[in-house]
């Protein structure tokens, strides 16, 4: 039997509202299957199941706002619970996985707070299901459970009836947690994604700049070879199947991360954890402002056509606020490309707990000296912002050079 | 196909990728992608829709000839 808890869908997420169950008690579920929808700062997220089995009990009713780590459902048997709340088809594998999947700091705090770590196995929200400090602190807090008896002001009760709101699932802001009319209004207020998203971005970026000592590198890359390859590829294709330049760029980035894996991973509790899987977080701007950077999984293992298909699927879903939980949690590095706007260079801010972000500018025709001759070449500026706690500039330089090398030979696997 | 019909197809396509846009307010010589903030992904989607509705094949090398409303009408007009 395993507990299915509210996963953490970002460094900054504290809670989310359950919108809908896609399963009923007694249903068989598969690992990776979408079983619920939750409403978060980043829009509606489809939550995937982290293990196969039978749904024994749905603990939370739709409409309730649940903190990260709180019990949502109980899943019976099937296969043994895996040590990952992040429900991923291919879990992030961390190099040198410690035998006990708990960070040293979390272990220390657990001892201080008297938290039984065995009970947290399978509930770690860190990379690869690692039990981190926040998990332990969360476990030490009393778990939210729907109140059996709630104090509701008469006005609130009337509004709740008018608006068909179940008061047992609302957290009151009045004295002693009493529910007031304003709480009811808030519960049914239309979601304002841009405000919430702005706050989420503010929290994550402020944390990044507060905690991560960034270093920055940039280089100019001759894109003639890649564009020639792309043109030849696209000539073979009808318009529907054509590739955008970003596709071979993603491919080259994945190859460069194979060469320099240290930039692909996380900094957690004072430790650098390199990820074996390459899941590129691709920054997508929202039409009304704001952005999300959902993960494109296993970029190193996918063909260009598969990656184009992934983008075709991912971008509209990101913009309409329909991402999956694994896409919100799995990215091992972020790519930001502002080339469409004619920007030459972008220096990114690292999304914690990742350790690097790559910025790609517009491909522009520039004077370019090669073999003692001056010519006009399409040139792109690539930048790297990386966490100096995890890596040094020398390694960052190796990465940008590897990216350059792979872009000169786009046809090689 | 008349110019008005072609224009209607263009406007529909633009509304599809930029729902908040008001393409009828575009000046004929205004750069569409910049004005409506359309990225390369959405622009490709727009071209695919144009191809489906008009049957005109647009090679990649010609993408640059479709910058403005005027340019699009000039490019597509003789081909539809």
């Amino acid at each position: 039997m395993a507990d299915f808890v509210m996963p953490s869908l970002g460094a900054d997420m504290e809670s989310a509202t359950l919108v809908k169950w896609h399963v009923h008690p007694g249903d068989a579920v598969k690992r990776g299957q979408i079983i619920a929808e939750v409403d978060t700062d980043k829009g509606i997220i489809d939550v995937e199941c982290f293990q196969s089995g039978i749904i024994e009990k749905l603990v939370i009713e739709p409409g309730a706002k649940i903190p990260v780590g709180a019990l949502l459902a109980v899943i019976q048997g099937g296969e043994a619970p895996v040590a990952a709340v992040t429900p991923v088809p291919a879990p992030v594998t961390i190099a040198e996985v410690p035998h006990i999947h708990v960070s040293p700091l979390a272990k220390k705090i657990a001892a201080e707070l008297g938290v039984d770590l065995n009970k947290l196995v399978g509930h770690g929200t860190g990379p690869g299901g690692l039990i981190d400090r926040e998990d332990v602190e969360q476990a030490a807090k009393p778990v939210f459970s729907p109140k059996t008896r709630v104090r509701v002001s008469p006005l609130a009760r009337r509004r709740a009836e008018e608006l068909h709101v179940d008061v047992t699932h609302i957290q009151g802001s009045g004295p002693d947690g009493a529910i007031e009319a304003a709480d009811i209004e808030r519960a049914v207020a239309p979601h304002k994604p841009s405000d919430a998203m702005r706050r989420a971005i503010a929290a994550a970026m402020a944390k990044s700049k507060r905690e991560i000592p960034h270093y920055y590198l940039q280089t100019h890359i001759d894109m003639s070879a890649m564009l020639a390859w792309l043109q030849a590829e696209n000539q073979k294709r009808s318009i529907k199947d054509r590739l955008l330049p970003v596709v071979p760029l993603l491919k080259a980035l994945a190859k460069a991360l194979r060469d320099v894996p240290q930039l692909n991973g996380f900094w957690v509790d004072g430790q650098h954890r390199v990820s074996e899987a390459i899941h590129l977080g691709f920054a997508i701007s929202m039409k009304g402002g704001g952005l999300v950077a959902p993960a494109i999984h296993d970029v190193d293992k996918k063909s260009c056509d598969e990656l184009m298909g992934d983008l075709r699927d991912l971008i509209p879903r990101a913009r309409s606020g329909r991402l999956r939980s694994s896409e919100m949690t799995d990215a091992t590095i972020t790519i930001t490309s502002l080339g469409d706007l004619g920007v030459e260079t972008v220096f990114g801010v690292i999304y914690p707990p990742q350790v690097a972000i790559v910025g790609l500018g517009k491909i522009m025709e520039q004077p370019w000296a090669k073999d003692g001759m001056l010519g006009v070449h399409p040139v792109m500026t690539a930048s790297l912002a990386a966490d100096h706690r995890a890596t040094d500039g020398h390694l960052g330089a190796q990465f940008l050079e590897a990216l350059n090398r792979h872009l000169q030979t786009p046809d090689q696997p | 196909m008349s110019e008005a019909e072609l224009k209607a197809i263009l406007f529909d396509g633009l509304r599809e990728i930029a729902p908040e846009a008001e393409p009828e307010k575009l000046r004929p010589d205004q750069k569409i992608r910049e004005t409506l903030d359309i990225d390369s992904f959405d622009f490709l989607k727009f071209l695919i829709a144009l191809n489906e509705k008009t049957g005109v094949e647009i090679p990649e090398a010609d993408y640059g000839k479709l910058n403005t409303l005027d340019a699009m009408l000039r490019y597509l007009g003789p081909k539809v």
Side-chain angles (χ1 to χ4, degrees), chain A residues 234-308:
Chain A
N234 279 343
Q235 256 165 18
K236 293 185 236 163
R237 295 155 197 261
S238 78
I239 190 161
K240 273 195 281 301
D241 301 319
R242 276 179 211 158
L243 305 172
L244 287 169
V246 70
V247 169
L249 274 167
L250 290 175
K251 218 43 225 171
L253 283 162
K255 289 185 214 166
L257 287 170
R258 275 260 158 272
D259 298 341
V260 186
Q262 292 91 333
L263 294 171
N264 186 57
F266 311 96
W267 181 268
V268 184
D269 291 345
Q271 279 186 20
H272 183 197
R273 293 172 188 278
V274 176
S275 167
E276 229 163 70
I278 297 179
H279 305 317
L280 300 184
F282 186 67
I284 297 169
S285 66
M286 310 297 275
K287 295 284 186 195
L291 83 161
V292 282
I296 306 172
H297 288 104
D298 298 308
V299 174
D300 54 327
K301 294 177 186 143
K302 284 181 178 150
S303 69
C304 283
D305 288 303
E306 284 175 295
L307 288 174
M308 189 65 201

Side-chain angles (χ1 to χ4, degrees), chain B residues 20-50:
Chain B
E20 69 286 4
E22 295 171 293
E24 50 292 322
K25 286 193 182 161
L26 277 171
R27 288 199 313 272
D29 60 341
Q30 232 172 347
K31 285 203 170 172
I32 291 178
R33 284 190 52 186
E34 282 81 349
T35 311
L36 302 184
D37 191 16
I38 295 169
D39 63 19
S40 50
F41 173 80
D42 278 340
F43 192 64
L44 181 57
K45 230 163 65 171
F46 169 70
L47 295 182
I48 291 170
L50 274 191

Side-chain angles (χ1 to χ4, degrees), chain A residues 64-133:
Chain A
K65 191 172 182 186
I66 324 290
V68 169
L71 186 66
L72 292 176
V74 179
I75 298 169
Q76 183 82 53
E79 58 189 45
V82 287
V85 158
T86 37
V88 287
V92 179
T93 46
I94 307 291
E96 298 170 302
V97 181
H99 182 63
I100 311 161
H101 220 47
V102 55
S103 75
L105 184 61
K107 209 186 229 173
K108 187 167 152 255
I109 293 173
E112 284 167 8
L113 297 175
V115 172
D116 182 1
L117 282 174
N118 290 323
K119 287 192 178 156
L120 288 178
V121 169
H123 303 292
T125 58
L130 178 88
I131 300 168
D132 62 17
R133 186 176 69 181

Side-chain angles (χ1 to χ4, degrees), chain B residues 3 6-15 22-33 35-36 38 43 46 50 65-77:
Chain B
E3 188 172 302
L6 184 54
K7 230 177 188 169
I9 290 177
L10 291 176
F11 286 175
D12 282 349
L14 289 171
R15 270 189 224 103
E22 295 171 293
E24 50 292 322
K25 286 193 182 161
L26 277 171
R27 288 199 313 272
D29 60 341
Q30 232 172 347
K31 285 203 170 172
I32 291 178
R33 284 190 52 186
T35 311
L36 302 184
I38 295 169
F43 192 64
F46 169 70
L50 274 191
K65 295 178 187 167
L66 299 160
N67 284 338
T68 67
L69 221 46
D70 252 2
M72 284 186 188
L73 291 172
R74 256 201 322 273
Y75 182 88
L76 295 168

Side-chain angles (χ1 to χ4, degrees), chain A residues 318-365:
Chain A
R319 291 204 168 129
S320 60
R322 288 311 304 229
L323 290 168
R324 300 194 183 109
S325 49
S326 60
E327 289 161 347
M328 298 304 292
T329 53
D330 288 355
T332 53
I333 184 171
T334 300
I335 313 304
T336 176
S337 167
L338 287 181
D340 269 350
L341 295 175
V343 165
E344 197 178 344
T345 313
V346 48
F347 289 110
V349 179
I350 299 166
Y351 185 63
Q354 293 168 22
V355 293
I357 179 166
V358 178
L360 304 175
K362 185 183 171 77
I363 301 172
M364 306 164 105
E365 293 212 314

